[in-house]
Amino acid sequence: MSFINYASREINCKIVYYGPGLCGKTTNLQFVYQKTAPDAKGKMISLATETERTLFFDFLPLSLGEIRGFKTRFHLYTVPGQVFYDASRKLILKGVDGVVFVADSQEERIDANIESLENLRLNLKEQGYDLDKLPYVVQYNKRDLPGAMSVEELRRELNPTNVPDYEACATTGEGVFETLKAVAKSILVDLKKGK
Amino acid sequence: MSNPQLVMYEEEFQEINDVIGRLLKEANSKVIFLVDKNGQLISGVGETERFDTTSLASLTAGNIAATGGLAKLIGEKEFSILFHEGEKDNLHISIVAGRVILVVLFDSRSSLGLVRLRVKKSSEELASIFEKLMKKSEEKEKRGSSDFPFAEITDDDIDNLFS
Ligand SMILES: Nc1nc2c(ncn2[C@@H]2O[C@H](COP(=O)(O)OP(=O)(O)OP(=O)(O)O)[C@@H](O)[C@H]2O)c(=O)[nH]1
Ligand SMILES: [Mg+2]
């Protein structure tokens, strides 16, 4: 849940990047980190294995500026995508304000995408959240690879509720900020409604 | 939603800072942080500028979440105190009122026994402040009171953040 501090005039929101192993969640955060001005970001923390797989989470704090005199901060987290890290994924979802589901566009990863999306829904439900009521966007990543499925097919399988979705190539950064903006905006609109 | 939104007001913020400021002195510690269980820093006193407080908050919350998961696995509710001993500095981490994390950093000028004793007393004071805070925001919510700063924002305000 977002944290509003009237004393220091700050508002903090938590965004979680979810998706199957190797879909590019960490790469999304790394690109945001590289392209953000030093005064707008904190340190990026990656708790990873020796082979650079996320072990617990990546964390990147961003401060985007002020709205109506309130400093607006977003805390970006990624979960570990590998199936057996489910206990850690549940922990990262605590207090989430908005979710990005990063899908791997490659044909051979479609089952992994579907499984991860089901896992997201289930883990949210366990904590009393409903994915359909949360600020939520989908990213089809790795569009640059020759084995990528068409967006129409991906949409049919992974975005039946028609939430905002974006094509991306996280290694070059294409679509990365569009995705982030969309989820951030959706969170702020939710806050505006006073949810 | 599972957790009500955490809202902090001027009055309670001051009270909280008074309590942890006093704890800082009485426990002979170097720095004290209060962190929301979701990883957001609530406040800090002492030599805070020496630390990357945002990272510290996030890792502390991750640490508490992970040990909380471990506790459940072995049939405990949670481990309410964690202690990390370093060569110079030590961390005493405890849970207050079930939802906030109190982090005390101290060196050889203090001791675990002293810190534990003082933390216990301060935790009770903090718990009652947070209880008051929760009641206050619930009441405001019920009354639909509109001091919420974001009720009036426009699409332009939001877009401007990203320009
Ligand atoms: N070709 C291509 N490779 C990508 C893209 N995005 C990420 N990768 C690569 O895919 C690999 C895995 O990326 P990560 O960002 O570590 O994946 P992850 O989702 O964090 O994986 P876990 O931490 O295991 O959950 C890396 O080698 C990236 O360089 C993309 O858009 N195109
Ligand atoms: Mg990763």
Side-chain angles (χ1 to χ4, degrees), chain A residues 109-180:
Chain A
R109 295 300 283 163
I110 188 65
D111 289 347
N113 288 325
I114 293 172
E115 194 184 333
S116 174
L117 190 55
E118 279 172 1
N119 176 257
L120 167 63
R121 211 171 257 288
L122 196 76
N123 282 343
L124 282 172
K125 201 167 161 194
E126 256 180 42
Q127 323 233 6
Y129 294 104
D130 180 350
L131 181 60
D132 297 324
K133 295 197 178 119
L134 270 182
Y136 167 52
V137 303
V138 175
Q139 179 188 79
Y140 310 114
N141 191 33
K142 304 200 183 182
R143 297 308 300 159
D144 57 310
L145 292 179
M149 289 167 70
S150 75
V151 170
E152 290 68 43
E153 275 176 293
L154 286 166
R155 194 171 275 147
R156 199 162 48 236
E157 297 285 357
L158 304 173
N159 189 8
T161 53
N162 255 313
V163 298
D165 53 3
Y166 301 86
E167 294 183 51
C169 172
T171 37
T172 61
E174 229 181 292
V176 167
F177 273 98
E178 285 80 349
T179 309
L180 173 59

Side-chain angles (χ1 to χ4, degrees), chain A residues 78-91:
Chain A
T78 74
V79 300
Q82 295 183 82
V83 175
F84 55 89
Y85 287 135
D86 201 37
S88 304
R89 274 194 296 278
K90 290 182 193 182
L91 298 177

Side-chain angles (χ1 to χ4, degrees), chain A residues 26 54 58 78-79:
Chain A
T26 299
T54 302
D58 301 298
T78 74
V79 300

